[in-house]
Amino acid sequence: MRKLYIASLLIGGMALGSTASQAEDKDWGAYKVGDKLSGYTYATKETRAIQDDDFENPAQIWVDQAEGNWSSVEGEAGKSCESCHNAASDSMKGVATRYPVLNKNKAAMVNVEQQINFCRTSQMKAKAWKWESAELLGMTAFVKLQSRGMPVNVKIDGPVTPYYEKGKAFYYERRGQLDMACKHCHEDNPGKYARANLLSQGQSNGFPTYRLKWQKIGSLHRRFRGCNKNIRAQPFAYGAPEYVNLELYLNSRGQGLPVETPSVRN
Amino acid sequence: MLRALAVLAVGATFSVALSAATIAAEPAKLVKYEIKDGNSIPKSLTGKPGDAKKGREAAIHRKKGNCLACHTLPIPEQSFHGDVGPDLKGVADRYSEGEIRLRLVNSKVVNEDTIMPAFYKTDGLNRVMKKFKGKTILSAQDVEDIVAYLMTLK
């Protein structure tokens, strides 16, 4: 039922391709911070309406499942997330605003997906969840949801600076047969149309996101891979250090925007 | 390397054939061309005029020119023209054939920071997907066909 509803919206959304948003020049409230604009402000009215209503937001299916997984015991240590972290609404609050962070041995940045899997393998003695599995996407969205509305606030000073610099360099580096950098679309051209696609600032504050085109929830790294492949560039693996550094740069670029997980996008 | 030289060579005639390093890295089939005054490639890449009708199709084709991704063109049967670049209506009034050819072959010669892809270039690229490695986006024939089509836009 819900699926049908979404499918018809998708078709409607395409027909209305250009009822977007930016032209409306309205007061975007928390979705606009200085000149930083959330992807929400570039989405069609219909898409925004789905995000605004948790009962309509299809991403909630994954989040609900993750809420169940939070308290289910798995692995040889006989623990659940809840055994150590108690109520997610307290222990996970603010996590999404701070990540990625330096890992314990200060050798790499870890994002929320990787931290969850680290807890599964090292604390629970359970198997890591696969990237883009319903379990990992759902738990990531569930953890990030606990920070919804809080401003993104990543640290980029001290030992983190070199990782930030790498992420930034990636953002400005041309790649692929079409030879474009992220900045050519998301910094030079937001508000312009690439065929029927209204280009946004490419902000990261809503991930994992439910994309109508995917008919599914997806990670930020899936989006990176998509944006790489569209310009015929060899994508990196999910969770590759290059992408985690890029994630850090994007979060810092969107510093102050509210965590919007799980967002809904065209 | 090539780009740097081409920029330095503004005002003079520059031949791609001079850049030995570039040639070695490329498949032999890339046609050599000369950039004049850093702004134009006066001679046809195929030695012949292109076919404007085929050029219109190649400009639309998403796996070829895909020009509508960024430009508005007088092609009413296609919906959703992009507006990242300028409207190309009347482009032949603004530019000569050679100037249009250079912009298709390698726009970066005129604007190093442009988003517009170089449609006839294989060197100096980074992390190109395997199946596109060493290949140009458009063939020399496609370039000439699209040039011929754009020359009809007066």
Side-chain angles (χ1 to χ4, degrees), chain A residues 9-10 13 39-40 42-53 210-212 263-266:
Chain A
L9 265 170
L10 179 62
Y40 179 91
Y42 296 87
T44 60
K45 217 166 114 197
E46 296 78 6
T47 305
R48 279 181 271 137
I50 308 175
Q51 178 174 323
D52 289 341
D53 183 348
Y210 185 91
R211 241 194 124 188
L212 299 174
S263 65
V264 181
R265 298 287 184 263
N266 307 331

Side-chain angles (χ1 to χ4, degrees), chain A residues 129-142:
Chain A
W129 279 322
K130 284 207 180 101
W131 274 87
E132 299 312 282
S133 64
E135 289 81 6
L136 187 57
L137 286 165
M139 188 58 77
T140 306
F142 176 67

